[in-house]
């Protein structure tokens, strides 16, 4: 049979009709699933809404039953001024009286459903507060109070009571506050970078910044951590006291200077040329040219004397671009500077400066005894600074100090050749020798070699190898450098040339012109406030005596 005669097979059916049918089935299934999911989600949402409504109703019911609901929580908005009491104002007359205080939460704990404790802190001082369930105080209020975040600022109203047993953990151990109201003013975060209570212990002497604990396993906060979190560190009782002492030094210096008839001046901290210390200055961009941060007000003080002011002083920042990472060096510190005219001899000014320092140190002990005692808990040397018993500073010549060190076996050959000043180690050793021999931590060295003093220092007319200059020391470390200044223009320019300086150098013109117009004999000095605080209190590091210290490694906070 020919191919053409073979019976034809039916062609397979195509899926053109089946495909739409399958797609429709899938679509119906997806739609069904979506409806089921929507129904499920709706049921879930309804259950959540019902649960929320139930919880809200329960909360409302609890609030309705909370007899103390208006006595705690966020501070109510009011225009009324509520008188508050400071911890320092508490006295025996405060017992059984209602007071309101604003303080930080140093610690909070729930003792039971009916009892909670707060330790309140105000500028380092601590007072215990207690809250107990008794009409109208509720359990909800107790739970809230015991759960307050540490370091939060709260307003607490309560009755001052005398505890049966003094509270050893509180600064004011002889009283406690029985809470009637507690309101949140500013809530602290739950996690703090360090605890204030841990920063109340002295930082370790080692420079190891790793995790450290004391004998009882409590964290020891390193100096770096404390300075990185300085705001928290400042809240400790010790830091509060140190800042009060710092304020006291500036206040006493100013008080003495003003009473002496001296004039308070304010000199520029931006200068156009590095005129005092060569490369040890900070250069800053000043519009289209360079400027510098002033190393001291020295030249301006002298210009004021040439301007017939007779006696001037300043309290201001001083900048030193010295890469010194020691315990006593900062790149920015507070300078206490003064300059005075004299009639016959520069010792008139030296006498004045000695009396000034004795006044400051004596008055610190008299006016800040409580603060010194608080600091002494952390730094035992704070209370043992020895002042001259006769009220007069011990004054020795440079060569006297050299002889004492040589007698103690120290190699002083370089100092005898006037090639170098005393090293820090020599200064400390001399300080200990003088403390043992003369029973004082404050003394003065006069007549330093001319080779180690600045160009504006007056040479000793009797022996030009030496100068009419002096340094003040506390605990064997320098706190002030001063001298008689050259007031004759020819002598001043000659001294500059001998030190390798060019009188025609930019920046000296205005200064030198002041002496060309006539200037009276004068002397003065510059004190470091931070060092005075450090050595008076026996602190191990000057950074502890600086509010926000700056050194070669630190430019924050």
């Amino acid at each position: 049979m020919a191919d053409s005669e073979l019976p034809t097979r039916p062609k397979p059916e195509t899926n053109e009709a089946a495909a739409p049918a399958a797609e429709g089935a899938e679509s119906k299934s997806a739609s069904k699933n979506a409806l089921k999911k929507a129904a499920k989600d709706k049921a879930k949402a309804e259950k959540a809404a019902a649960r929320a409504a139930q919880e809200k109703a329960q909360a409302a019911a609890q609030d309705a039953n909370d007899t103390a609901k208006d006595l705690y929580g966020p501070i109510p908005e009011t225009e009324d001024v509520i008188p508050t009491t400071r911890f320092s104002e508490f006295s025996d007359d405060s017992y059984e009286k209602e007071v309101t205080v604003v303080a930080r939460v140093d610690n909070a704990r729930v003792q039971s459903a009916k009892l909670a404790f707060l330790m309140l802190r105000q500028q380092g001082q601590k007072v215990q507060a207690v809250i107990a369930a008794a009409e109208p105080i509720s359990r909800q209020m107790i739970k809230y109070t015991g759960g307050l975040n540490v370091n939060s600022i709260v307003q607490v109203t309560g009755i001052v009571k005398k505890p049966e047993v003094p509270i050893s953990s509180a600064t004011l151990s002889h009283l406690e506050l029985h809470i009637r109201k507690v309101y949140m003013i500013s809530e602290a975060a739950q996690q703090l970078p360090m605890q204030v209570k841990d920063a109340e212990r002295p930082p370790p002497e080692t420079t190891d910044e790793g995790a450290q604990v004391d004998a009882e396993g409590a964290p020891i906060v390193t100096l770096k951590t404390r300075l990185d979190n300085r705001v928290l560190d400042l809240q400790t009782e010790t830091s509060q006291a140190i800042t009060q002492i710092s304020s006291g030094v500036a206040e006493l210096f100013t008080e003495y200077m003003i009473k002496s008839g001296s004039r308070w001046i304010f000199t520029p901290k931006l200068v156009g040329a590095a005129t005092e210390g060569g490369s040890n200055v900070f250069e800053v961009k000043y519009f289209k040219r360079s400027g510098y941060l002033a190393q001291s007000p020295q030249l301006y003080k002298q210009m004021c004397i040439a301007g017939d002011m007779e006696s001037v002083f300043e309290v201001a920042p001083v900048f030193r671009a010295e890469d010194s990472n020691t315990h006593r060096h900062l790149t920015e510190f507070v300078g206490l500077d003064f300059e005075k005219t004299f009639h016959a001899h520069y010792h008139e000014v030296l006498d004045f400066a000695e009396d000034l320092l004795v006044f400051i140190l004596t008055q610190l002990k008299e006016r800040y005894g409580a603060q010194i005692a608080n600091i002494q808990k952390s730094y035992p040397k704070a209370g043992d600074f020895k002042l001259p018993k006769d009220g007069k500073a011990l004054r020795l010549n440079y060569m006297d100090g050299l002889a004492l060190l040589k007698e103690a076996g120290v190699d002083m050959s370089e100092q005898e050749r006037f090639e170098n000043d005393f090293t820090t180690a020599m200064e400390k050793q001399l300080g200990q020798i003088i403390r043992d021999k003369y029973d004082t931590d404050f003394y003065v060295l006069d007549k330093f070699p001319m080779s180690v003093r600045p160009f504006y220092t007056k040479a000793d007319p009797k022996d030009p190898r030496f100068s009419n200059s002096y340094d003040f020391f506390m605990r064997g470390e320098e706190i002030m450098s001063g001298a008689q200044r050259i007031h004759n223009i020819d002598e001043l320019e000659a001294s500059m040339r001998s030190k390798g300086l060019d009188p025609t150098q930019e920046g000296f013109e205005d200064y030198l012109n002041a002496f060309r117009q006539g200037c009276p004999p004068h002397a003065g000095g510059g004190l470091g406030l931070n060092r005075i605080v450090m050595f008076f209190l026996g602190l191990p590091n000057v950074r502890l005596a600086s509010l926000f210290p700056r050194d070669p490694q630190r430019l924050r906070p």
Side-chain angles (χ1 to χ4, degrees):
M1 197 180 294
D3 289 344
S4 59
E5 296 178 356
L6 289 174
T8 59
R9 295 180 183 177
K11 292 181 180 179
E13 295 181 2
T14 64
N15 207 27
E16 291 178 359
E23 289 177 3
E26 288 178 6
S27 177
K28 287 180 181 178
S29 176
S31 179
K32 208 172 193 179
N33 289 338
L35 289 171
K36 283 182 179 180
K37 186 177 183 303
K40 191 174 182 181
D41 289 345
K42 182 180 179 184
K44 192 175 179 181
E46 288 175 348
K47 284 183 180 180
R51 189 164 53 247
Q54 183 180 9
E55 289 175 355
K56 187 176 180 180
Q58 288 175 346
Q62 288 179 348
D63 286 345
N65 296 327
D66 187 356
T67 55
K69 62 182 180 180
D70 296 327
L71 303 179
Y72 68 98
I75 190 164
E77 293 186 10
T78 177
E79 294 183 359
D80 296 333
V81 177
I82 300 174
T84 57
T85 302
R86 302 198 60 74
F87 289 179
S88 58
E89 296 172 346
F90 283 126
S91 67
D92 290 344
D93 294 334
S94 303
Y95 291 125
E96 302 304 324
K97 291 182 180 178
E98 183 177 276
V99 298
T100 297
V101 300
V102 173
R104 288 190 183 272
V105 177
D106 189 69
N107 191 27
R109 62 185 174 91
V110 175
Q111 186 76 5
S112 69
K114 295 184 177 182
L115 183 66
F117 291 91
L118 282 184
M119 185 65 76
L120 299 174
R121 188 180 72 246
Q122 192 181 86
Q123 292 193 328
Q125 289 189 306
K126 297 177 184 178
V127 168
Q128 179 171 282
V130 59
I131 183 168
E135 189 67 28
I137 305 298
S138 63
R139 293 191 179 196
Q140 295 97 315
M141 184 175 176
I142 290 171
K143 182 179 179 181
Y144 171 84
T145 304
L148 291 170
N149 287 351
V150 170
N151 235 50
S152 295
I153 300 174
V154 293
Q155 177 180 293
V156 176
T157 299
I159 308 297
V160 180
K161 298 281 187 178
K162 189 168 188 176
E164 293 182 5
V165 178
I167 303 159
S168 60
S169 58
T171 308
L172 303 183
S173 59
H174 57 286
L175 61 84
E176 66 180 1
L177 197 58
H178 287 223
I179 297 174
R180 308 304 297 165
K181 300 176 185 177
V182 55
Y183 298 120
M184 177 63 67
I185 294 177
S186 180
E187 188 172 20
Q190 285 189 331
Q191 294 294 327
L192 297 174
M194 70 178 191
Q195 295 294 322
V196 172
K197 65 179 181 179
D198 294 330
E200 288 175 336
R201 292 185 294 278
E205 294 183 5
T206 174
T207 57
D208 179 16
E209 294 297 338
Q212 300 183 50
V213 295
D214 61 16
E216 299 176 356
I220 297 176
V221 183
T222 63
L223 180 60
K224 180 180 183 302
T225 299
R226 290 176 60 165
L227 296 180
D228 286 347
N229 302 280
R230 188 60 162 149
V231 172
L232 285 173
D233 183 50
L234 289 174
Q235 294 173 17
T236 66
E237 185 177 38
T238 301
S239 291
Q240 287 284 319
I242 291 172
T243 57
Q244 286 179 292
I245 296 291
S246 297
S247 175
V249 171
E251 180 183 344
L252 291 166
F253 173 76
T254 304
E255 177 184 326
Y256 192 91
M257 294 306 299
I258 290 175
K259 285 184 177 178
S260 74
S262 190
R263 188 175 307 183
W264 199 340
I265 60 172
F266 307 91
T267 63
K269 301 308 160 206
L270 281 170
V271 296
T275 52
E276 281 194 67
S279 63
N280 295 328
V281 293
F282 290 108
E283 184 175 353
V284 297
K285 185 177 180 180
Y286 193 73
F287 300 104
K288 295 183 179 180
R289 59 193 179 98
S290 292
Y292 304 90
L293 296 180
Q295 290 176 285
S296 82
Q298 181 57 45
L299 306 189
Y300 290 104
K301 289 188 301 176
Q302 291 185 258
M303 291 166 74
C304 287
I305 295 298
D308 291 344
M309 291 189 184
E310 294 188 353
S311 177
V312 296
F313 75 96
E314 183 172 34
V315 180
V318 174
F319 302 93
R320 301 283 170 87
E322 297 174 350
D323 193 9
S324 298
N325 295 281
T326 74
H327 71 292
R328 69 178 190 177
H329 283 93
L330 294 170
T331 53
E332 178 185 351
F333 61 89
V334 179
L336 308 176
D337 281 87
F338 68 93
E339 206 76 19
K340 285 175 63 68
T341 58
F342 61 84
H343 298 291
H345 197 276
Y346 80 98
H347 278 178
E348 296 169 32
V349 178
L350 180 53
D351 291 340
F352 172 88
E354 290 172 345
D355 291 343
L356 164 65
L357 261 293
V358 169
F359 170 79
I360 291 173
L361 299 174
T362 301
Q363 290 302 305
L364 283 177
K365 287 200 168 192
E366 291 185 9
R367 302 186 194 184
Y368 295 90
Q371 287 79 11
I372 293 169
N374 286 335
I375 297 166
Q376 198 170 14
K377 297 173 188 175
S378 298
Y379 303 102
K381 289 184 178 180
D384 74 348
F385 188 86
K386 292 188 174 183
L387 284 166
K389 292 181 179 177
D390 60 359
K392 292 290 183 182
L394 172 68
R395 186 191 302 175
L396 303 172
N397 281 349
Y398 172 90
M399 294 302 291
D400 296 328
L402 189 149
L404 288 172
L405 286 167
K406 193 173 181 180
E407 186 180 318
V410 181
D411 180 7
M412 303 300 294
S413 54
E414 289 185 358
Q415 284 69 30
E416 287 178 316
R417 292 193 297 268
F418 305 148
E419 294 176 357
N420 283 305
D421 201 348
F422 292 155
T423 65
T424 299
M426 290 173 181
E427 288 180 355
K428 287 183 177 181
Q429 188 168 353
L430 180 60
Q432 188 60 53
I433 292 171
I434 288 176
R435 180 184 172 103
D436 294 339
K437 185 172 183 177
Y438 297 100
D439 198 32
T440 181
D441 283 316
F442 172 57
Y443 60 94
V444 177
L445 290 184
D446 190 18
K447 298 293 183 184
F448 274 77
M450 193 66 192
S451 60
V452 299
R453 305 309 272 197
F455 72 87
Y456 44 75
T457 305
K458 176 79 172 178
D460 183 349
K462 297 179 181 178
D463 188 343
R465 295 178 304 165
F466 296 95
S467 62
N468 291 350
S469 67
Y470 39 83
D471 278 359
F472 285 28
F473 294 85
M474 292 175 63
R475 297 188 193 268
E477 299 198 61
E478 182 223 323
I479 60 159
M480 183 186 107
S481 182
Q484 177 183 353
R485 324 300 187 182
I486 300 173
H487 65 280
N488 177 275
I489 184 60
D490 294 331
E491 185 181 344
L492 183 56
E493 289 182 338
S495 177
M496 292 177 70
R497 292 188 184 95
S498 72
K499 296 286 186 180
L501 297 173
D502 181 1
T504 63
Q505 175 187 330
E506 181 186 3
F508 284 121
E509 181 181 358
D510 296 320
Y511 171 70
L512 294 175
N513 280 341
F515 298 93
R516 292 189 178 98
Q517 297 161 13
C519 182
H522 58 284
L527 297 148
L529 179 146
N530 310 90
R531 285 193 183 181
I532 293 175
V533 175
M534 173 192 180
F535 298 133
F536 177 73
L537 296 174
L539 304 178
N541 199 300
V542 71
R543 290 155 185 80
L544 294 166
S546 177
L547 196 59
F548 297 102
R550 293 290 180 261
D551 60 35
Q553 310 302 320
R554 179 169 293 279
L555 203 56
R556 58 170 288 263

